[in-house]
Amino acid sequence: MKLKFTKMHGAGNDFIVIDAINQDIDFTPSQWRALGDRRFGIGADQILVVEKPRIAGVDFRYRIYNADGGEVEQCGNGARAFVKFVTEKGLTQKRTIKVETMCGVIEPALEDDGSITVDMGAPVLDPPRVPFDASNLQPKQQGMDTLWPVDIHGKTVLFSVVSMGNPHAVQVVADTDAAPVLADGPVIEHHPRFPKRVNAGFMQIVERHQIKLRVYERGAGETLACGTGACAAAVAGIQRGLLDSPVKVLTRGGELSISWEGIGQSVKMTGPAVTVFEGEIEI
Ligand SMILES: N[C@H](CCC[C@H](N)C(=O)O)C(=O)O
């Protein structure tokens, strides 16, 4: 079949976006992996599939597949690319869109300056719901946060564990450029205490309203930016008493702005979304 797609990115986190409303899409994980392959396929960190809504009062459903072919709960940068895609394609005239994801309904909105703000919902900090196996660990407290000591490559790393619908393990480092992201990232991603694997965030505190962040993503490796990772890092830093909202998150691919007013409140993320090219392939 001929597959039409749009190549996009949000702060360098890149996507293949597919209209599954006007195309009949039913691929296997290995087919998603093939599309995401940077040598033999189109290449992307994630594949976003736009579908008709399944529930009343919602405008769309969007499904997210990592480069490894696995379907996941949430993608922050992807939510912004999704909004740009459906408005550019004329699939909606709305500027605030209700979209169902695997972990619930979110409401991204297209701003007048072309940036996109997404209400990402409230973070979940309860370890079993991240999910994180905290059994037999002696946690430490920092501010309002609970830090979990986990052995990584023979050193004890103190993690904040946060779910934004998808799981995140956030640590504070002195210098993101020198952080062992590629060495430790895979070990953290696959650590047995994270039964659904995890996205590994490495956060450097620049000042109380600014961080630098690198994320080794579950199912994709290090990406130039991770939207849910930026949300999780900002929440962890605020909980630890190191940051104040709003937080400017400097990623290798661009800048995101995160605001959060505390437990039970939604995390709001604002950032760019860019269309790179339209394509069509035989699959
Ligand atoms: N790798 C993530 C999904 C994509 C998240 C990221 N690209 C974002 O912008 O939030 C996971 O497996 O949970």
Side-chain angles (χ1 to χ4, degrees):
M1 71 169 279
K2 277 213 180 303
L3 174 69
K4 292 183 187 308
F5 69 89
T6 302
K7 189 72 177 31
M8 303 184 76
H9 75 83
N13 181 195
D14 69 327
F15 309 110
I16 297 162
V17 189
I18 295 169
D19 172 355
I21 297 172
N22 298 297
Q23 297 182 104
D24 185 15
I25 303 293
D26 181 18
F27 294 152
T28 63
S30 63
Q31 285 177 305
W32 292 125
R33 206 163 39 246
L35 285 176
D37 188 293
R38 295 193 186 283
R39 298 290 188 284
F40 297 99
I42 303 165
D45 295 324
Q46 281 86 32
I47 299 164
L48 313 179
V49 182
V50 178
E51 299 182 350
K52 286 186 182 137
R54 294 185 308 178
I55 42 185
V58 169
D59 303 302
F60 296 95
R61 178 189 188 199
Y62 109 101
R63 303 177 77 170
I64 304 146
Y65 299 88
N66 276 325
D68 69 358
E71 185 171 3
V72 290
E73 310 89 342
Q74 191 56 275
C75 179
N77 290 321
R80 302 196 314 274
F82 157 81
V83 170
K84 188 170 178 68
F85 179 83
V86 294
T87 45
E88 279 184 349
K89 293 290 183 186
L91 294 173
T92 181
Q93 304 309 314
K94 295 184 179 178
R95 295 175 68 86
T96 298
I97 296 160
K98 286 192 176 181
V99 56
E100 177 198 355
T101 67
M102 192 194 266
C103 69
V105 176
I106 57 172
E107 284 193 51
L110 185 60
E111 306 292 351
D112 293 339
D113 66 0
S115 68
I116 294 154
T117 296
V118 190
D119 177 332
M120 295 297 294
V124 168
L125 305 176
D126 178 30
R129 294 174 55 209
V130 171
F132 172 69
D133 171 10
S135 57
N136 306 317
L137 288 181
Q138 292 305 315
K140 298 187 183 311
Q141 283 305 117
Q142 184 179 17
M144 309 271 285
D145 204 9
T146 302
L147 309 186
W148 298 99
V150 178
D151 181 74
I152 303 293
H153 276 160
K155 58 186 179 257
T156 298
V157 177
L158 290 173
F159 286 115
S160 300
V161 296
V162 182
S163 172
M164 290 305 303
N166 59 346
H168 291 269
V170 184
Q171 61 181 286
V172 174
V173 295
D175 176 358
T176 48
D177 291 334
V181 176
L182 299 181
D184 291 3
V187 177
I188 300 167
E189 177 193 1
H190 295 277
H191 196 284
R193 286 192 177 273
F194 295 97
K196 287 190 173 177
R197 296 184 291 152
V198 73
N199 298 284
F202 299 76
M203 160 170 69
Q204 175 186 340
I205 308 292
V206 176
E207 49 101 340
R208 292 193 66 84
H209 288 281
Q210 188 168 315
I211 62 172
K212 285 184 177 178
L213 180 68
R214 291 173 67 185
V215 181
Y216 190 92
E217 287 198 30
R218 176 181 64 171
E222 182 176 8
T223 58
L224 293 182
C226 178
T228 50
C231 295
V235 166
I238 292 168
Q239 284 290 94
R240 290 184 186 215
L242 305 174
L243 298 175
D244 297 311
S245 180
V247 178
K248 184 186 290 186
V249 180
L250 305 178
T251 75
R252 291 191 151 185
E255 204 175 285
L256 301 175
S257 177
I258 309 294
S259 60
W260 182 56
E261 300 313 323
I263 296 291
Q265 301 295 316
S266 277
V267 183
K268 304 279 177 63
M269 168 190 62
T270 300
V274 175
T275 300
V276 181
F277 65 87
E278 304 287 345
E280 187 176 285
I281 63 163
E282 190 64 37
I283 185 167

mmCIF file of all heavy atoms in Angstrom, residues 3-39:
data_model
loop_
_atom_site.group_PDB
_atom_site.id
_atom_site.type_symbol
_atom_site.label_atom_id
_atom_site.label_comp_id
_atom_site.label_asym_id
_atom_site.label_seq_id
_atom_site.Cartn_x
_atom_site.Cartn_y
_atom_site.Cartn_z
ATOM 1 N N LEU A 3 1.632 4.715 1.641
ATOM 2 C CA LEU A 3 1.375 5.366 2.919
ATOM 3 C C LEU A 3 1.793 6.827 2.828
ATOM 4 O O LEU A 3 2.964 7.119 2.536
ATOM 5 C CB LEU A 3 2.167 4.673 4.039
ATOM 6 C CG LEU A 3 2.092 5.347 5.417
ATOM 7 C CD1 LEU A 3 0.692 5.206 6.023
ATOM 8 C CD2 LEU A 3 3.149 4.795 6.362
ATOM 9 N N LYS A 4 0.827 7.737 3.061
ATOM 10 C CA LYS A 4 1.173 9.166 3.134
ATOM 11 C C LYS A 4 1.533 9.500 4.578
ATOM 12 O O LYS A 4 0.889 9.005 5.509
ATOM 13 C CB LYS A 4 -0.046 10.027 2.701
ATOM 14 C CG LYS A 4 -0.427 9.921 1.231
ATOM 15 C CD LYS A 4 -1.599 10.887 0.954
ATOM 16 C CE LYS A 4 -2.179 10.729 -0.444
ATOM 17 N NZ LYS A 4 -1.176 10.782 -1.524
ATOM 18 N N PHE A 5 2.582 10.304 4.751
ATOM 19 C CA PHE A 5 3.000 10.696 6.099
ATOM 20 C C PHE A 5 3.541 12.113 6.067
ATOM 21 O O PHE A 5 3.855 12.654 4.996
ATOM 22 C CB PHE A 5 4.070 9.722 6.629
ATOM 23 C CG PHE A 5 5.378 9.826 5.901
ATOM 24 C CD1 PHE A 5 6.374 10.707 6.310
ATOM 25 C CD2 PHE A 5 5.619 9.051 4.751
ATOM 26 C CE1 PHE A 5 7.581 10.816 5.629
ATOM 27 C CE2 PHE A 5 6.819 9.160 4.065
ATOM 28 C CZ PHE A 5 7.801 10.041 4.498
ATOM 29 N N THR A 6 3.645 12.701 7.267
ATOM 30 C CA THR A 6 4.254 14.023 7.431
ATOM 31 C C THR A 6 5.383 13.907 8.444
ATOM 32 O O THR A 6 5.196 13.300 9.505
ATOM 33 C CB THR A 6 3.205 15.045 7.925
ATOM 34 O OG1 THR A 6 2.127 15.083 6.968
ATOM 35 C CG2 THR A 6 3.816 16.442 8.048
ATOM 36 N N LYS A 7 6.550 14.404 8.110
ATOM 37 C CA LYS A 7 7.705 14.380 9.022
ATOM 38 C C LYS A 7 7.677 15.681 9.813
ATOM 39 O O LYS A 7 7.572 16.769 9.227
ATOM 40 C CB LYS A 7 8.998 14.249 8.229
ATOM 41 C CG LYS A 7 10.247 13.987 9.074
ATOM 42 C CD LYS A 7 10.280 12.597 9.651
ATOM 43 C CE LYS A 7 11.522 12.229 10.449
ATOM 44 N NZ LYS A 7 12.230 13.226 11.173
ATOM 45 N N MET A 8 7.734 15.596 11.126
ATOM 46 C CA MET A 8 7.638 16.777 11.989
ATOM 47 C C MET A 8 8.621 16.656 13.149
ATOM 48 O O MET A 8 9.203 15.592 13.372
ATOM 49 C CB MET A 8 6.208 16.904 12.560
ATOM 50 C CG MET A 8 5.127 16.966 11.506
ATOM 51 S SD MET A 8 3.470 17.219 12.217
ATOM 52 C CE MET A 8 3.565 18.973 12.614
ATOM 53 N N HIS A 9 8.814 17.776 13.881
ATOM 54 C CA HIS A 9 9.567 17.668 15.142
ATOM 55 C C HIS A 9 9.056 18.708 16.127
ATOM 56 O O HIS A 9 8.479 19.752 15.730
ATOM 57 C CB HIS A 9 11.080 17.803 14.908
ATOM 58 C CG HIS A 9 11.555 19.203 14.642
ATOM 59 N ND1 HIS A 9 11.811 20.112 15.656
ATOM 60 C CD2 HIS A 9 11.801 19.865 13.487
ATOM 61 C CE1 HIS A 9 12.213 21.255 15.122
ATOM 62 N NE2 HIS A 9 12.197 21.139 13.827
ATOM 63 N N GLY A 10 9.273 18.412 17.380
ATOM 64 C CA GLY A 10 9.004 19.364 18.468
ATOM 65 C C GLY A 10 10.305 19.514 19.249
ATOM 66 O O GLY A 10 10.725 18.570 19.913
ATOM 67 N N ALA A 11 10.989 20.642 19.079
ATOM 68 C CA ALA A 11 12.299 20.865 19.730
ATOM 69 C C ALA A 11 13.276 19.736 19.404
ATOM 70 O O ALA A 11 14.057 19.305 20.257
ATOM 71 C CB ALA A 11 12.133 21.011 21.253
ATOM 72 N N GLY A 12 13.224 19.257 18.185
ATOM 73 C CA GLY A 12 14.205 18.270 17.729
ATOM 74 C C GLY A 12 13.821 16.821 18.002
ATOM 75 O O GLY A 12 14.465 15.891 17.523
ATOM 76 N N ASN A 13 12.764 16.616 18.752
ATOM 77 C CA ASN A 13 12.202 15.256 18.969
ATOM 78 C C ASN A 13 11.352 14.995 17.732
ATOM 79 O O ASN A 13 10.372 15.705 17.512
ATOM 80 C CB ASN A 13 11.373 15.294 20.256
ATOM 81 C CG ASN A 13 10.729 13.985 20.659
ATOM 82 O OD1 ASN A 13 9.850 14.013 21.489
ATOM 83 N ND2 ASN A 13 11.148 12.856 20.117
ATOM 84 N N ASP A 14 11.800 14.010 16.910
ATOM 85 C CA ASP A 14 11.174 13.957 15.581
ATOM 86 C C ASP A 14 10.168 12.819 15.431
ATOM 87 O O ASP A 14 10.269 11.773 16.074
ATOM 88 C CB ASP A 14 12.251 13.906 14.493
ATOM 89 C CG ASP A 14 13.038 12.598 14.465
ATOM 90 O OD1 ASP A 14 13.238 11.999 15.535
ATOM 91 O OD2 ASP A 14 13.428 12.201 13.352
ATOM 92 N N PHE A 15 9.211 13.068 14.545
ATOM 93 C CA PHE A 15 8.048 12.199 14.419
ATOM 94 C C PHE A 15 7.689 11.930 12.965
ATOM 95 O O PHE A 15 7.885 12.797 12.106
ATOM 96 C CB PHE A 15 6.815 12.867 15.070
ATOM 97 C CG PHE A 15 7.044 13.350 16.461
ATOM 98 C CD1 PHE A 15 7.091 14.706 16.742
ATOM 99 C CD2 PHE A 15 7.244 12.461 17.498
ATOM 100 C CE1 PHE A 15 7.321 15.169 18.026
ATOM 101 C CE2 PHE A 15 7.479 12.908 18.792
ATOM 102 C CZ PHE A 15 7.515 14.266 19.059
ATOM 103 N N ILE A 16 7.141 10.766 12.744
ATOM 104 C CA ILE A 16 6.371 10.482 11.531
ATOM 105 C C ILE A 16 4.915 10.599 11.956
ATOM 106 O O ILE A 16 4.507 9.962 12.935
ATOM 107 C CB ILE A 16 6.642 9.051 11.022
ATOM 108 C CG1 ILE A 16 8.110 8.876 10.628
ATOM 109 C CG2 ILE A 16 5.712 8.698 9.870
ATOM 110 C CD1 ILE A 16 8.538 7.418 10.529
ATOM 111 N N VAL A 17 4.144 11.459 11.291
ATOM 112 C CA VAL A 17 2.740 11.644 11.667
ATOM 113 C C VAL A 17 1.867 11.113 10.534
ATOM 114 O O VAL A 17 2.094 11.432 9.362
ATOM 115 C CB VAL A 17 2.413 13.126 11.939
ATOM 116 C CG1 VAL A 17 1.012 13.261 12.544
ATOM 117 C CG2 VAL A 17 3.449 13.735 12.889
ATOM 118 N N ILE A 18 0.912 10.282 10.922
ATOM 119 C CA ILE A 18 0.085 9.582 9.923
ATOM 120 C C ILE A 18 -1.393 9.865 10.158
ATOM 121 O O ILE A 18 -1.882 9.734 11.293
ATOM 122 C CB ILE A 18 0.352 8.061 9.999
ATOM 123 C CG1 ILE A 18 1.807 7.749 9.595
ATOM 124 C CG2 ILE A 18 -0.623 7.287 9.116
ATOM 125 C CD1 ILE A 18 2.243 6.319 9.890
ATOM 126 N N ASP A 19 -2.095 10.235 9.096
ATOM 127 C CA ASP A 19 -3.554 10.417 9.138
ATOM 128 C C ASP A 19 -4.192 9.048 8.925
ATOM 129 O O ASP A 19 -4.223 8.517 7.811
ATOM 130 C CB ASP A 19 -3.969 11.388 8.015
ATOM 131 C CG ASP A 19 -5.483 11.474 7.855
ATOM 132 O OD1 ASP A 19 -6.214 10.718 8.546
ATOM 133 O OD2 ASP A 19 -5.935 12.294 7.026
ATOM 134 N N ALA A 20 -4.683 8.476 10.042
ATOM 135 C CA ALA A 20 -5.337 7.155 9.961
ATOM 136 C C ALA A 20 -6.849 7.316 9.895
ATOM 137 O O ALA A 20 -7.589 6.334 10.020
ATOM 138 C CB ALA A 20 -4.941 6.318 11.176
ATOM 139 N N ILE A 21 -7.308 8.577 9.676
ATOM 140 C CA ILE A 21 -8.738 8.814 9.440
ATOM 141 C C ILE A 21 -9.041 8.589 7.963
ATOM 142 O O ILE A 21 -10.012 7.941 7.611
ATOM 143 C CB ILE A 21 -9.134 10.253 9.871
ATOM 144 C CG1 ILE A 21 -8.913 10.421 11.371
ATOM 145 C CG2 ILE A 21 -10.572 10.571 9.466
ATOM 146 C CD1 ILE A 21 -9.071 11.842 11.876
ATOM 147 N N ASN A 22 -8.132 9.068 7.139
ATOM 148 C CA ASN A 22 -8.316 8.938 5.685
ATOM 149 C C ASN A 22 -7.439 7.864 5.053
ATOM 150 O O ASN A 22 -7.354 7.769 3.834
ATOM 151 C CB ASN A 22 -8.030 10.305 5.032
ATOM 152 C CG ASN A 22 -9.011 11.363 5.527
ATOM 153 O OD1 ASN A 22 -10.216 11.247 5.299
ATOM 154 N ND2 ASN A 22 -8.518 12.354 6.266
ATOM 155 N N GLN A 23 -6.708 7.110 5.930
ATOM 156 C CA GLN A 23 -5.936 5.965 5.412
ATOM 157 C C GLN A 23 -6.221 4.778 6.330
ATOM 158 O O GLN A 23 -6.394 4.988 7.531
ATOM 159 C CB GLN A 23 -4.423 6.259 5.436
ATOM 160 C CG GLN A 23 -3.999 7.416 4.559
ATOM 161 C CD GLN A 23 -2.490 7.608 4.589
ATOM 162 O OE1 GLN A 23 -1.769 7.239 3.638
ATOM 163 N NE2 GLN A 23 -1.966 8.164 5.667
ATOM 164 N N ASP A 24 -6.227 3.584 5.765
ATOM 165 C CA ASP A 24 -6.527 2.383 6.552
ATOM 166 C C ASP A 24 -5.213 1.823 7.103
ATOM 167 O O ASP A 24 -4.417 1.251 6.351
ATOM 168 C CB ASP A 24 -7.220 1.353 5.650
ATOM 169 C CG ASP A 24 -7.650 0.135 6.476
ATOM 170 O OD1 ASP A 24 -7.662 0.270 7.730
ATOM 171 O OD2 ASP A 24 -7.922 -0.929 5.882
ATOM 172 N N ILE A 25 -4.959 2.058 8.390
ATOM 173 C CA ILE A 25 -3.668 1.709 8.991
ATOM 174 C C ILE A 25 -3.860 0.592 10.013
ATOM 175 O O ILE A 25 -4.690 0.716 10.912
ATOM 176 C CB ILE A 25 -3.090 2.943 9.732
ATOM 177 C CG1 ILE A 25 -2.964 4.132 8.769
ATOM 178 C CG2 ILE A 25 -1.757 2.613 10.394
ATOM 179 C CD1 ILE A 25 -1.959 3.974 7.679
ATOM 180 N N ASP A 26 -3.108 -0.487 9.830
ATOM 181 C CA ASP A 26 -3.148 -1.559 10.840
ATOM 182 C C ASP A 26 -1.820 -2.300 10.789
ATOM 183 O O ASP A 26 -1.681 -3.327 10.138
ATOM 184 C CB ASP A 26 -4.317 -2.526 10.550
ATOM 185 C CG ASP A 26 -4.371 -3.636 11.618
ATOM 186 O OD1 ASP A 26 -3.757 -3.427 12.701
ATOM 187 O OD2 ASP A 26 -4.965 -4.704 11.333
ATOM 188 N N PHE A 27 -0.798 -1.696 11.430
ATOM 189 C CA PHE A 27 0.565 -2.229 11.313
ATOM 190 C C PHE A 27 0.951 -3.027 12.556
ATOM 191 O O PHE A 27 0.428 -2.789 13.653
ATOM 192 C CB PHE A 27 1.566 -1.090 11.096
ATOM 193 C CG PHE A 27 1.395 -0.363 9.789
ATOM 194 C CD1 PHE A 27 1.771 0.975 9.655
ATOM 195 C CD2 PHE A 27 0.856 -1.001 8.682
ATOM 196 C CE1 PHE A 27 1.610 1.654 8.467
ATOM 197 C CE2 PHE A 27 0.687 -0.326 7.472
ATOM 198 C CZ PHE A 27 1.067 0.995 7.367
ATOM 199 N N THR A 28 1.930 -3.891 12.378
ATOM 200 C CA THR A 28 2.477 -4.675 13.507
ATOM 201 C C THR A 28 3.636 -3.880 14.126
ATOM 202 O O THR A 28 4.185 -2.980 13.478
ATOM 203 C CB THR A 28 3.036 -6.010 12.980
ATOM 204 O OG1 THR A 28 4.116 -5.693 12.081
ATOM 205 C CG2 THR A 28 1.955 -6.806 12.259
ATOM 206 N N PRO A 29 4.040 -4.230 15.364
ATOM 207 C CA PRO A 29 5.204 -3.555 15.954
ATOM 208 C C PRO A 29 6.437 -3.601 15.038
ATOM 209 O O PRO A 29 7.165 -2.605 14.956
ATOM 210 C CB PRO A 29 5.440 -4.348 17.242
ATOM 211 C CG PRO A 29 4.075 -4.819 17.630
ATOM 212 C CD PRO A 29 3.383 -5.128 16.320
ATOM 213 N N SER A 30 6.639 -4.702 14.334
ATOM 214 C CA SER A 30 7.842 -4.746 13.474
ATOM 215 C C SER A 30 7.693 -3.788 12.298
ATOM 216 O O SER A 30 8.675 -3.195 11.835
ATOM 217 C CB SER A 30 8.102 -6.171 12.987
ATOM 218 O OG SER A 30 7.027 -6.595 12.181
ATOM 219 N N GLN A 31 6.453 -3.567 11.823
ATOM 220 C CA GLN A 31 6.263 -2.595 10.737
ATOM 221 C C GLN A 31 6.481 -1.168 11.254
ATOM 222 O O GLN A 31 7.100 -0.339 10.575
ATOM 223 C CB GLN A 31 4.859 -2.737 10.145
ATOM 224 C CG GLN A 31 4.707 -3.977 9.253
ATOM 225 C CD GLN A 31 3.288 -4.140 8.736
ATOM 226 O OE1 GLN A 31 2.332 -4.181 9.537
ATOM 227 N NE2 GLN A 31 3.124 -4.231 7.431
ATOM 228 N N TRP A 32 6.003 -0.888 12.499
ATOM 229 C CA TRP A 32 6.263 0.447 13.067
ATOM 230 C C TRP A 32 7.771 0.649 13.199
ATOM 231 O O TRP A 32 8.306 1.706 12.872
ATOM 232 C CB TRP A 32 5.585 0.591 14.425
ATOM 233 C CG TRP A 32 4.093 0.623 14.417
ATOM 234 C CD1 TRP A 32 3.243 -0.193 15.116
ATOM 235 C CD2 TRP A 32 3.244 1.521 13.680
ATOM 236 N NE1 TRP A 32 1.939 0.149 14.870
ATOM 237 C CE2 TRP A 32 1.901 1.194 13.972
ATOM 238 C CE3 TRP A 32 3.497 2.566 12.785
ATOM 239 C CZ2 TRP A 32 0.822 1.884 13.420
ATOM 240 C CZ3 TRP A 32 2.419 3.262 12.242
ATOM 241 C CH2 TRP A 32 1.106 2.908 12.554
ATOM 242 N N ARG A 33 8.458 -0.407 13.685
ATOM 243 C CA ARG A 33 9.919 -0.314 13.869
ATOM 244 C C ARG A 33 10.607 -0.037 12.531
ATOM 245 O O ARG A 33 11.513 0.774 12.426
ATOM 246 C CB ARG A 33 10.422 -1.624 14.481
ATOM 247 C CG ARG A 33 11.692 -1.514 15.274
ATOM 248 C CD ARG A 33 11.958 -2.701 16.202
ATOM 249 N NE ARG A 33 11.619 -3.999 15.670
ATOM 250 C CZ ARG A 33 10.641 -4.780 16.150
ATOM 251 N NH1 ARG A 33 9.894 -4.355 17.159
ATOM 252 N NH2 ARG A 33 10.379 -5.954 15.625
ATOM 253 N N ALA A 34 10.119 -0.688 11.502
ATOM 254 C CA ALA A 34 10.718 -0.503 10.161
ATOM 255 C C ALA A 34 10.528 0.938 9.689
ATOM 256 O O ALA A 34 11.453 1.551 9.141
ATOM 257 C CB ALA A 34 10.082 -1.483 9.174
ATOM 258 N N LEU A 35 9.370 1.506 9.928
ATOM 259 C CA LEU A 35 9.128 2.901 9.526
ATOM 260 C C LEU A 35 10.048 3.843 10.288
ATOM 261 O O LEU A 35 10.582 4.797 9.741
ATOM 262 C CB LEU A 35 7.665 3.289 9.799
ATOM 263 C CG LEU A 35 6.597 2.759 8.857
ATOM 264 C CD1 LEU A 35 5.215 3.165 9.363
ATOM 265 C CD2 LEU A 35 6.814 3.278 7.439
ATOM 266 N N GLY A 36 10.290 3.530 11.561
ATOM 267 C CA GLY A 36 11.094 4.415 12.412
ATOM 268 C C GLY A 36 12.591 4.262 12.222
ATOM 269 O O GLY A 36 13.367 5.093 12.693
ATOM 270 N N ASP A 37 12.980 3.210 11.473
ATOM 271 C CA ASP A 37 14.418 2.940 11.321
ATOM 272 C C ASP A 37 15.096 4.040 10.506
ATOM 273 O O ASP A 37 14.657 4.380 9.394
ATOM 274 C CB ASP A 37 14.604 1.588 10.607
ATOM 275 C CG ASP A 37 16.075 1.170 10.604
ATOM 276 O OD1 ASP A 37 16.894 1.843 9.932
ATOM 277 O OD2 ASP A 37 16.401 0.205 11.307
ATOM 278 N N ARG A 38 16.200 4.614 11.055
ATOM 279 C CA ARG A 38 16.841 5.761 10.384
ATOM 280 C C ARG A 38 17.703 5.336 9.202
ATOM 281 O O ARG A 38 18.206 6.175 8.462
ATOM 282 C CB ARG A 38 17.669 6.582 11.388
ATOM 283 C CG ARG A 38 16.815 7.248 12.450
ATOM 284 C CD ARG A 38 17.583 8.297 13.234
ATOM 285 N NE ARG A 38 16.799 8.836 14.349
ATOM 286 C CZ ARG A 38 15.830 9.727 14.227
ATOM 287 N NH1 ARG A 38 15.513 10.170 13.008
ATOM 288 N NH2 ARG A 38 15.138 10.159 15.263
ATOM 289 N N ARG A 39 17.922 4.071 9.017
ATOM 290 C CA ARG A 39 18.702 3.622 7.841
ATOM 291 C C ARG A 39 17.797 3.004 6.785
ATOM 292 O O ARG A 39 17.805 3.370 5.626
ATOM 293 C CB ARG A 39 19.769 2.580 8.270
ATOM 294 C CG ARG A 39 20.803 3.100 9.257
ATOM 295 C CD ARG A 39 21.751 4.104 8.623
ATOM 296 N NE ARG A 39 22.853 4.453 9.514
ATOM 297 C CZ ARG A 39 22.732 5.269 10.556
ATOM 298 N NH1 ARG A 39 21.549 5.751 10.864
ATOM 299 N NH2 ARG A 39 23.789 5.560 11.299
#
